[in-house]
Amino acid sequence: MKVLMFGWEYPPHVFGGLATANFGISEGLHAQGDVDITLCLPHPFGDESQHAARIIAMNAVPIAWRDVDYDYVKNRVGNIMSPDLYYKLRDHIYADFNYMNVNDLGCMEFAGGYPGNLHEEINNYSIIAGVVARAEEFDIIHAHDWLTYPAGIHAKQVSGKPLCIHVHATDFDRSRGKVNPTVYSIEKNGMDWADCIMCVSELTRQTVINQYHQDPRKCFTVHNAVYPLKPEYADIPRPDHSGGERVVTFLGRITMQKGPEYFVEAANMVLHRTHNVRFCMAGSGDMMDSMIYLAAERGISDRFHFPGFMRGKEVYECLKGSDVYVMPSVSEPFGISPLEAMQCGTPSIISWQSGCAEILHNCIKVDYWDIHALADAIYSICSNDSLFHYLQDEGKKEVDQITWIKVGAWIRELYERTLGWR
């Protein structure tokens, strides 16, 4: 089975959870043994793993004819894509796009990540998808998140092949109900065109059905998973804080969706009971400054740490150095970070309003707005060694059974159903 997949980010260049999920899904599908993935990315850097997917660099796909020699193409894009593929794609340019801002190879540039002109880049990406869909052989299309839905639609229009879209989040999650009409329109159009809609949780599936008015029969829940720890992460030692100060961590985007203010308010309540706890708010976002001010207003700045954005090994050092991980998200389609924390042996507290609450059992769940319950849970884990060790041991056992290989098998089955192969 050949899959044409559209993604937006991919490790090791991680801007958010989408990169982790795209990688896990690709690896899980590859593990099935008969799934070949061609993954389109707007701005790969050349150091992405191509173990599970052959990567097409959309910023090296020509949309305007240029008469350039092989060595020049190799020098310009050889680190991210084969020159031979450049020439193959050049033969499938379907219109005159010279009026667009193309470079000397006839390609569009992408900033990578989420720039200020994001909507323009989404549109450009979808134009390039038409060239790729004409040149590649594939059975089915898989588009990740709203950024790539227009590209998936264009590929379907060109090829007539079925389209699967993967809903990692909706604008209802990101905006706390203040939905951007432009984003909503792109999301709904992608869902209307899709033959199969994969949702990262039942919570998200119900949003898709009720808010985007989709047929429940084409909407499926596909929970995320976690990969086994790399040896260099597994070998990071866990410090023993028994008898000393406990560390409680929030790690993620410091934005409205993640509920950081509830973490600060709960921390304040815990510190009225004990001063033997330190709080860490790792990450960055538009609410970071206001959270620093809130901690100062509550008089707990001396117990609060803001280390900033973390990636790679830093994340696992932070998780292993913590006694409690907290994810008080207001609306979390899934939330992989608690799985990563539990994998590191860190007891976790999550909101009932998160998709991962549907599959995790050996953690504590509270309503995001209930700061009293959140404070009680934090204090209990920090002060009760038996509870700490129970959640630590049972949580790790549980998460070790939630694998991307199982996710890949389910997605492969959904592909076959969509194709009418079963």
Side-chain angles (χ1 to χ4, degrees):
M1 182 187 300
K2 296 179 184 290
V3 181
L4 178 62
M5 187 175 286
F6 293 101
W8 198 259
E9 55 176 277
Y10 204 68
H13 303 278
V14 178
F15 300 97
L18 189 57
T20 303
N22 196 343
F23 178 77
I25 289 164
S26 299
E27 291 285 328
L29 284 167
H30 177 75
Q32 305 310 307
D34 61 350
V35 180
D36 294 327
I37 301 171
T38 296
L39 173 62
C40 301
L41 296 172
H43 185 103
F45 293 83
D47 55 353
E48 292 83 2
S49 168
Q50 298 206 32
H51 169 258
R54 179 178 67 108
I55 293 175
I56 290 182
M58 298 294 263
N59 59 338
V61 175
I63 59 170
W65 179 274
R66 292 291 184 271
D67 186 12
V68 285
D69 66 46
Y70 188 93
D71 288 340
Y72 184 73
V73 173
K74 184 176 181 180
N75 182 59
R76 291 277 278 105
V77 303
N79 65 315
I80 56 174
M81 199 172 81
S82 161
D84 294 322
L85 182 54
Y86 169 88
Y87 290 108
K88 174 188 172 184
L89 292 164
R90 193 182 65 172
D91 291 338
H92 291 84
I93 295 172
Y94 58 93
D96 184 2
F97 290 108
N98 280 294
Y99 68 92
M100 299 192 73
N101 187 24
V102 294
N103 62 19
D104 57 337
L105 294 178
C107 304
M108 298 287 294
E109 300 286 353
F110 288 88
Y114 302 89
N117 66 332
L118 182 60
H119 288 277
E120 180 184 349
E121 296 218 333
I122 291 169
N123 180 65
N124 293 342
Y125 184 85
S126 70
I127 289 171
I128 300 166
V131 174
V132 176
R134 285 168 170 81
E136 292 294 313
E137 293 183 9
F138 53 93
D139 301 301
I140 198 164
I141 305 156
H142 191 155
H144 287 284
D145 224 36
W146 69 281
L147 306 140
T148 73
Y149 294 169
I153 292 170
H154 194 180
K156 177 179 179 176
Q157 291 170 329
V158 166
S159 66
K161 300 296 173 67
L163 169 64
C164 297
I165 66 166
H166 213 115
V167 184
H168 295 272
T170 70
D171 210 48
F172 284 89
D173 302 302
R174 292 183 289 266
S175 65
R176 213 184 263 188
K178 297 178 181 178
V179 177
N180 181 319
T182 302
V183 176
Y184 178 87
S185 176
I186 293 172
E187 291 176 329
K188 188 172 190 312
N189 197 40
M191 295 174 192
D192 290 344
W193 275 91
D195 300 282
C196 173
I197 302 175
M198 303 180 190
C199 308
V200 292
S201 62
E202 181 60 26
L203 183 75
T204 302
R205 180 174 177 269
Q206 290 303 319
T207 299
V208 167
I209 292 167
N210 297 317
Q211 301 293 345
Y212 295 84
H213 315 294
Q214 297 302 308
D215 184 346
R217 293 172 296 180
K218 72 173 186 179
C219 302
F220 300 89
T221 298
V222 181
H223 289 113
N224 284 330
V226 67
Y227 253 93
L229 285 178
K230 296 179 180 179
E232 60 265 35
Y233 300 158
D235 292 339
I236 298 171
R238 276 192 68 90
D240 184 4
H241 295 150
S242 57
E245 291 183 326
R246 299 288 189 172
V247 178
V248 180
T249 294
F250 170 111
L251 192 154
R253 284 182 291 113
I254 306 176
T255 61
M256 181 174 59
Q257 180 190 350
K258 303 295 184 179
E261 68 270 36
Y262 302 105
F263 180 72
V264 177
E265 297 290 10
N268 183 43
M269 298 180 74
V270 170
L271 290 169
H272 276 87
R273 300 192 208 179
T274 176
H275 279 278
N276 214 27
V277 183
R278 288 191 176 274
F279 291 86
C280 170
M281 182 170 277
S284 60
D286 58 7
M287 288 183 68
M288 185 169 182
D289 287 348
S290 60
M291 292 302 99
I292 293 172
Y293 284 123
L294 181 59
E297 288 172 4
R298 296 293 180 264
I300 57 175
S301 293
D302 61 326
R303 298 274 104 191
F304 238 92
H305 303 268
F306 294 87
F309 183 79
M310 293 182 172
R311 57 163 50 92
K313 189 175 182 181
E314 292 176 324
V315 171
Y316 292 94
E317 288 174 338
C318 181
L319 293 176
K320 285 206 171 186
S322 304
D323 299 285
V324 184
Y325 176 76
V326 180
M327 188 182 75
S329 295
V330 174
S331 180
E332 186 72 50
F334 186 77
I336 291 177
S337 56
L339 279 70
E340 295 172 331
M342 292 163 70
Q343 192 179 40
C344 290
T346 303
S348 294
I349 304 168
I350 63 176
S351 70
W352 282 107
Q353 291 73 26
S354 58
C356 62
E358 298 169 11
I359 62 169
L360 292 177
H361 304 288
N362 292 292
C363 61
I364 296 179
K365 304 171 192 178
V366 299
D367 289 309
Y368 71 87
W369 45 261
D370 194 344
I371 58 174
H372 294 275
L374 179 54
D376 285 343
I378 293 170
Y379 182 78
S380 296
I381 297 173
C382 289
S383 59
N384 186 327
D385 286 343
S386 296
L387 177 61
F388 172 85
H389 288 298
Y390 175 83
L391 292 174
Q392 181 180 52
D393 296 340
E394 295 304 314
K396 188 173 188 316
K397 287 179 191 174
E398 180 179 31
V399 170
D400 285 346
Q401 300 304 310
I402 303 173
T403 68
W404 284 114
I405 293 176
K406 293 177 182 177
V407 175
W410 175 222
I411 292 176
R412 183 185 180 284
E413 181 178 331
L414 291 177
Y415 285 163
E416 291 189 340
R417 291 190 194 181
T418 305
L419 287 161
W421 293 1
R422 64 160 64 196

